[in-house]
Amino acid sequence: MSYKLSILDQSPIFPGGTAFNALQNTVQLAQKAEEWGYSRFWVSEHHHTDQLAGSSPEVLISYILARTNKIQVGSGGVMLQHYSPYKVAENFHVLSTLAPGRVDLGIGKAPGGLPLSTKALQYGTVNDGKDFSERLSFLHELIENSVGGAHPLTGIQATPIPQKKPEIFLLGASVNSAQLAADQGISFVFAKFINSDDKVLEQAAKVYHEGFPNGRFIISLAVIAAPTQSEAEQLAGDRNIVKVHLQSGRSVTLQSIEQAEVFGNQAGEPFEITEQKADIVAGTPNYVNENLEKLHRKYQVEEFILHTPVEKEEERIKSFQLLSPRNTNQNTGIEIREDYPYIASKIFLNQ
């Protein structure tokens, strides 16, 4: 395999389950990801939802780090528009001091929730959400311990200063985000499961590689693997991506038309809702890897972060196990271990 594989887990709350189940499943999936040879395990940030349990990636990361040994653990991502860059840097410096060399700081531009939760997160602060690039730049300086003399806070340090600083990644789904990451000299993750427009992906890769030739260009995409092509396609189903487009020019991706309508109404401005078929690579492990190899060659991608939108618990973990980098790297073919049902029951029943 000429590229690395990693996992993005949103801590989904499955039908009949609880937030406790979802978070325990996340921790135990991280442990299996480490065993299966995945490079990174990232957790997301979503607010005011009963479908996803991960609202505080920093807290969840610390727990996962304590329950794993070697795998990189990080945020996918911290929604910086809500927070002080200084506090974010402190949080990740503490994590990096506890687990040197294992912490990734993924930064997202999205709100991570509806306008009401955004108002709650920013309540009592002077914040209009329009200074993201300045926040990212200040955060970068704090992580590098290089806040210069031209900055109003010159000399400030985000302590403790770790022996090995966390690596910063910018998560985005636009050409502008790719350009911002290149300008900052940081790694970039293109969220293809949010924006499946190949023209945008091609331009984002071009802009990033030209602006930061030595940078790391990563794609995060929706992937579902199963023993047969038909089973994988059945699991993928007829999924759509729903977006709400505000009159002010902002667009946000939601999980359903109902959520999009709520978002638009809470935003307090005219809006339009659009739907498009979700871009999911679904098939056998060989089929999935063939598609990843094509993307790797076309866009000079050295790593893929897999998001697996399956509501069936056992099939979701089975998909990750089928794509195990350890199996693929050893060229032993794909083989489900005989104790798979036991593994699945332990992970999802929390025994």
Side-chain angles (χ1 to χ4, degrees):
M1 183 185 292
S2 51
Y3 48 81
K4 296 179 180 178
L5 291 181
S6 299
I7 292 175
L8 170 65
D9 185 36
Q10 297 182 334
S11 301
I13 302 174
F14 293 106
T18 65
F20 175 83
N21 298 141
L23 293 176
Q24 292 300 314
N25 291 345
T26 289
V27 174
Q28 294 176 51
L29 178 57
Q31 293 172 325
K32 301 310 297 183
E34 182 172 69
E35 178 183 321
W36 294 333
Y38 284 91
S39 296
R40 307 177 197 279
F41 189 88
W42 283 6
V43 294
S44 62
E45 177 181 327
H46 293 91
H47 301 285
H48 195 188
T49 173
D50 57 4
Q51 295 177 315
L52 304 170
S55 59
S56 180
E58 305 93 335
V59 174
L60 189 51
I61 288 168
S62 67
Y63 193 80
I64 293 172
L65 286 169
R67 300 291 297 274
T68 54
N69 299 304
K70 296 180 180 179
I71 193 169
Q72 293 287 124
V73 183
S75 54
V78 170
M79 301 307 168
L80 187 59
Q81 65 168 281
H82 305 311
Y83 311 120
S84 157
Y86 184 66
K87 188 58 182 175
V88 172
E90 284 186 326
N91 286 340
F92 279 80
H93 276 181
V94 169
L95 291 170
S96 296
T97 302
L98 288 168
R102 293 186 57 207
V103 178
D104 298 331
L105 173 49
I107 295 296
K109 296 178 65 178
L114 301 176
L116 184 61
S117 62
T118 293
K119 291 177 182 177
L121 287 162
Q122 300 175 3
Y123 187 75
T125 66
V126 179
N127 183 7
D128 59 8
K130 297 179 181 179
D131 61 346
F132 181 86
S133 60
E134 290 81 3
R135 286 171 180 255
L136 181 62
S137 179
F138 184 36
L139 175 64
H140 195 189
E141 291 177 341
L142 288 165
I143 295 297
E144 295 293 333
N145 194 23
S146 62
V147 180
H151 197 281
L153 297 174
T154 180
I156 190 66
Q157 291 182 313
T159 56
I161 304 297
Q163 292 182 345
K164 189 166 184 179
K165 57 182 176 287
E167 182 177 357
I168 301 178
F169 300 75
L170 178 62
L171 286 59
S174 69
V175 177
N176 288 339
S177 294
Q179 185 66 67
L180 178 58
D183 292 342
Q184 289 285 330
I186 60 179
S187 298
F188 180 63
V189 182
F190 185 90
K192 196 174 188 296
F193 67 93
I194 292 177
N195 188 346
S196 59
D197 189 327
D198 288 335
K199 292 182 179 179
V200 174
L201 171 60
E202 183 173 359
Q203 186 62 24
K206 181 175 183 292
V207 163
Y208 183 77
H209 287 308
E210 290 180 351
F212 188 26
N214 295 325
R216 181 182 300 162
F217 185 77
I218 298 171
I219 293 179
S220 182
L221 71 172
V223 169
I224 299 174
T228 66
Q229 189 71 27
S230 60
E231 183 179 349
E233 292 174 356
Q234 185 177 8
L235 288 170
D238 296 322
R239 299 173 186 272
N240 291 330
I241 292 177
V242 180
K243 293 190 176 185
V244 57
H245 308 273
L246 302 179
Q247 188 179 56
S248 58
R250 190 158 58 105
S251 296
V252 179
T253 301
L254 285 304
Q255 294 181 328
S256 66
I257 291 180
E258 291 74 19
Q259 284 189 347
E261 291 175 345
V262 172
F263 190 103
N265 291 328
Q266 288 185 6
E269 60 179 284
F271 63 92
E272 179 183 8
I273 296 174
T274 61
E275 272 190 285
Q276 65 185 75
K277 185 173 178 56
D279 182 15
I280 301 176
V281 180
T284 63
N286 286 338
Y287 175 84
V288 170
N289 284 315
E290 285 172 3
N291 279 267
L292 298 184
E293 184 66 31
K294 291 177 183 177
L295 290 170
H296 159 70
R297 292 178 178 175
K298 184 173 183 178
Y299 301 114
Q300 302 173 52
V301 181
E302 64 178 68
E303 184 173 347
F304 295 95
I305 301 179
L306 309 183
H307 164 56
T308 300
V310 176
E311 284 76 28
K312 296 181 178 181
E313 300 170 349
E314 292 188 7
E315 282 79 355
R316 181 169 177 263
I317 191 171
K318 187 176 181 181
S319 176
F320 289 125
Q321 188 177 12
L322 282 168
L323 295 172
S324 167
R326 185 151 293 155
N327 283 343
T328 305
N329 287 334
Q330 293 174 348
N331 294 317
T332 58
I334 302 300
E335 179 181 357
I336 295 295
R337 289 167 47 179
E338 293 180 358
D339 61 350
Y340 166 70
Y342 170 71
I343 292 172
S345 67
K346 283 197 68 177
I347 290 178
F348 291 108
L349 298 179
N350 303 306
Q351 294 177 353

